[in-house]
Amino acid sequence: MATDGIDGFLVETRNYGATAAFWKSLGFENVLETDHGSGHWSHPAGGPYVFIVEQHERELATQPVLKVADAGAFAPDRAPEFAQQFTPTHWGVQQALVRDPDGRIVALESPLRDGNDTTKSNEGMEGHHHG
C-alpha cells in the first residue's frame, strides 16, 4: 500500500496573522487555532487543508502532507528515504518524514493505533509537524 493522496500542506511563515489573512482572502476558513502561532485552515469547497506554522529559526518550508491509511502496511513500489520513521505525535497521528529525490521533505500521516503513546517527543522536528 502506498498513500491515499495529498491530505494537506504545511506552510511555515514568519508572520502567522498575515499568512492567515492571505489564506482567508482565498476562501479558506480557520477550523483550529492553537494560540501559539499555528492553525488549521480548510476550504468549504473541499480539497487539501493548509496548516500554517509560525517559526523564526531557519529557512521557511512548505511541504505536502500525504494520508496513509495504515502506517504498518505502508509499502510503496519504491522505498523512500526516511528522515523520520512513523512516530506518534501530540496531535493524534503517526507521522513519518521522507525525502523526495531532490531532498525535499514530504510528511506522511496515519491514524494512531490503540495503545500508542501520543506524548512521545519529536525532538529536532520542530516545524515539520502541526497541531
Side-chain angles (χ1 to χ4, degrees), residues 1 16 26 28 34 36 43-44 51-52 55 80-81 93 119:
M1 177 185 71
Y16 177 78
L26 296 175
F28 282 74
T34 66
H36 59 265
H43 198 282
F51 197 90
I52 304 166
Q55 71 87 10
E81 175 190 344
V93 301
T119 63

Side-chain angles (χ1 to χ4, degrees), residues 75-99:
D77 291 339
R78 179 177 174 235
E81 175 190 344
F82 280 87
Q84 171 190 297
Q85 295 291 326
F86 280 101
T87 305
T89 66
H90 67 273
W91 61 93
V93 301
Q94 292 186 85
Q95 183 185 64
L97 301 175
V98 297
R99 296 187 194 286

Side-chain angles (χ1 to χ4, degrees), residues 14 17 20 41 44 48 52 60-61 69 81-82 86-88 90 93 110 112-113 115 119 121 123 126-128 131:
R14 300 277 188 245
W41 293 75
I52 304 166
L60 298 176
E81 175 190 344
F82 280 87
F86 280 101
T87 305
H90 67 273
V93 301
S110 177
L112 282 171
R113 294 184 190 165
T119 63
S121 171
E123 279 184 46
E126 276 26 295
H128 291 288

Side-chain angles (χ1 to χ4, degrees), residues 5 14 55-56 58 62 72 74 85 88 96 117:
R14 300 277 188 245
Q55 71 87 10
H56 300 274
R58 64 183 182 290
T62 300
F74 178 67
Q85 295 291 326
D117 177 10

